[in-house]
Amino acid sequence: MAGRLKFPEGFLWGTASAAHQVEGDNRNSDWWQLELEPGRIRDGDTSLVACDHYRRFREDFGLIRELNNNAHRLSIEWARIEPRPGEFDAEQIEHYREVLTALRQLGIAPMLTLHHFTSPLWFARRGGWASVEAPAAFERYVRRVADELGELVDLWCTINEPNIYAAQGWFNGEFPPAHHGDLPGYYRVLKHMRLAHERAYRVLHARTPERPVGLSFHKFLMLPASRRDSDVGAAMVAQMFIDRWPAGLRTEPIVAGLADYVGIAHYWAQVCTFNPRRPQDAFIRRENVPGAIPTDMGWTSDPAWLRPVLNELRDLGKPVYVTENGISTGDDGVRQEYLTAALRSVHGAIEDGVDVRGYFHWTLLDNFEWAHGYAQKFGLVAVDRSTLERTVKKSGRVYAEIAGSNSVPAA
């Protein structure tokens, strides 16, 4: 195709979303409780309404079809499905059956995420992911979901970004339970999430053997500030901290864990400098990348980084899905440029030999962006906060053209 870069046949084009960020009225979760605490969420926002996707999912899936997408990554709410330990809500299970069926009727393949940052209140009150009971509790929930909904799922994603979840909840204090600097807790949570993922993997394979199972790993790229050995070493240490989880008496890369595919989310990078005056930060100073334009989230982002991030996965020899990628900006022209350049990076990685089989843009709708409330705009579709009216942005039209032609402009 002249002037365009063609993607492999059968490539999955989609968007990604998280139930709590779009559904609304998810009051039985630990995140809802955090939102009620003054000062936790920017501008006092809450997810009470969110995008009202719980009721408007058919309308939103129509927009996905309008964008020529053939796949969608979504999550379901554990807090709705198992409101009390061991008690499952048949009406909520039926709701998610309707959701998945609606996608399939439109020819859209669901990638279903089973935990996307939110947990039931009863689970949180028992210690959440820091509890030794967490893997067994998660397995019980996964078993029920697999039995009830498994035939409607094309790909399973067990846990979303365990490294970010643990860091934000037990180290940075932005997610529940809002701990600060709890390094033992951080590693304990990662250990239990690894065990839970492995148990879920085996359950899902036993019940839906033809459906690939993986998780979504967040690659926050750490770059050395200079070629000095000290800065190179600082970047390596910072990268290992965010990239690995406990595996017995050692740690291993999260992407090398038990999985049929590798799911990779990538947005940002920082540069790392060795600083002997910062023992509280492991002697590492982290800053935005010089010359890169900060997004509205305050982090620097560059679509060119996606290619080397994907190339790191080549030797694993597994299919790869970009489970999240996008940019927070109120300037949709910037989003259009970022999106097309990021997809050129994906195509470049495919040419380099990485078996990339799909791309899920974050996200479909401007939504509730956790502690940042509604101030951050990642969506291809704008949502009027007063009326909830949806309006496809020009970037959405650009993505529709790319997905419809299975190709991206070469320049």
Side-chain angles (χ1 to χ4, degrees):
M1 184 178 292
R4 301 189 70 87
L5 305 173
K6 190 75 173 175
F7 281 78
E9 291 299 320
F11 194 82
L12 294 186
W13 296 102
T15 56
S17 65
H20 189 79
Q21 293 180 259
V22 295
E23 284 185 345
D25 203 27
N26 182 38
R27 304 192 204 194
N28 191 37
S29 78
D30 56 350
W31 252 100
W32 173 253
Q33 290 300 302
L34 188 76
E35 293 166 36
L36 298 180
E37 297 180 19
R40 288 290 186 185
I41 312 299
R42 179 173 174 174
D43 300 327
D45 290 341
T46 77
S47 64
L48 180 61
V49 176
C51 301
D52 197 26
H53 177 75
Y54 188 89
R55 295 189 305 152
R56 300 173 183 236
F57 64 88
R58 289 186 177 84
E59 173 188 351
D60 294 336
F61 294 164
L63 291 173
I64 291 174
R65 185 65 271 176
E66 192 176 319
L67 298 183
N68 294 321
N69 287 186
N70 57 5
H72 181 57
R73 178 176 172 237
L74 71 160
S75 71
I76 55 176
E77 273 300 324
W78 186 4
R80 296 190 194 272
I81 290 175
E82 190 179 4
R84 288 164 295 279
E87 296 182 22
F88 295 92
D89 191 319
E91 290 186 6
Q92 295 295 340
I93 291 172
E94 181 58 29
H95 168 78
Y96 285 119
R97 172 172 288 278
E98 292 177 6
V99 168
L100 294 169
T101 299
L103 280 172
R104 299 187 71 85
Q105 287 174 342
L106 290 171
I108 300 168
M111 174 187 277
L112 191 65
T113 304
L114 296 168
H115 187 274
H116 196 129
F117 292 164
T118 54
S119 301
L121 274 176
W122 63 263
F123 178 79
R125 288 166 178 164
R126 292 183 174 188
W129 286 101
S131 169
V132 294
E133 299 176 358
F138 186 66
E139 180 183 8
R140 180 180 62 211
Y141 154 67
V142 171
R143 186 181 299 113
R144 187 59 175 264
V145 171
D147 288 344
E148 298 279 2
L149 304 175
E151 79 278 8
L152 299 173
V153 175
D154 279 59
L155 297 124
W156 294 103
C157 179
T158 58
I159 296 173
N160 180 72
E161 301 175 5
N163 54 343
I164 298 302
Y165 176 79
Q168 293 287 61
W170 277 261
F171 209 76
N172 299 328
E174 193 169 295
F175 286 13
H179 291 184
H180 288 271
D182 183 359
L183 188 61
Y186 169 80
Y187 280 111
R188 188 161 57 248
V189 167
L190 282 179
K191 173 186 175 181
H192 295 158
M193 284 192 143
R194 179 183 65 81
L195 293 172
H197 163 73
E198 291 173 353
R199 291 172 78 151
Y201 178 91
R202 295 184 179 97
V203 166
L204 295 169
H205 260 273
R207 284 164 163 74
T208 58
E210 297 180 358
R211 306 295 198 266
V213 183
L215 56 72
S216 180
F217 167 71
H218 187 114
K219 182 69 174 186
F220 200 124
L221 194 59
M222 300 295 175
L223 304 170
S226 75
R227 295 183 180 180
R228 290 193 298 268
D229 289 345
S230 58
D231 290 348
V232 172
M236 290 178 61
V237 169
Q239 195 73 73
M240 289 179 65
F241 175 76
I242 202 71
D243 281 5
R244 302 174 75 90
W245 58 6
L249 298 177
R250 58 186 178 84
T251 63
E252 71 173 15
I254 296 174
V255 294
L258 184 65
D260 301 318
Y261 68 84
V262 180
I264 195 81
H266 171 69
Y267 297 92
W268 303 295
Q270 288 183 317
V271 292
C272 299
T273 305
F274 174 73
N275 188 331
R277 293 185 294 276
R278 297 183 68 89
Q280 73 276 18
D281 296 322
F283 306 104
I284 300 170
R285 185 175 74 243
R286 299 190 310 171
E287 300 174 299
N288 278 338
V289 180
I293 299 174
T295 69
D296 288 355
M297 289 281 283
W299 306 104
T300 41
S301 187
D302 188 324
W305 295 333
L306 191 51
R307 185 170 184 172
V309 163
L310 292 170
N311 271 312
E312 288 186 13
L313 309 174
R314 182 174 49 215
D315 292 344
L316 293 174
K318 293 181 180 179
V320 174
Y321 294 93
V322 179
T323 43
E324 290 184 29
N325 174 249
I327 187 169
S328 175
T329 177
D331 185 341
D332 194 56
V334 172
R335 178 175 293 101
Q336 294 167 47
E337 294 176 5
Y338 181 92
L339 176 59
T340 52
L343 288 170
R344 290 188 199 107
S345 290
V346 174
H347 190 275
I350 293 172
E351 289 186 322
D352 296 337
V354 186
D355 185 13
V356 186
R357 298 191 183 182
Y359 175 89
F360 294 85
H361 180 270
W362 185 271
T363 182
L364 178 68
L365 307 172
D366 286 338
N367 58 33
F368 178 76
E369 186 54 38
W370 308 113
H372 301 276
Y374 297 101
Q376 302 300 322
K377 309 298 183 186
F378 280 93
L380 299 173
V381 177
V383 178
D384 186 293
R385 293 311 312 159
S386 298
T387 65
L388 300 182
E389 180 182 359
R390 278 76 160 139
T391 303
V392 178
K393 302 176 186 178
K394 179 65 180 301
S395 56
R397 301 300 179 196
V398 169
Y399 192 45
E401 190 274 335
I402 290 171
S405 65
N406 199 36
S407 66
V408 65

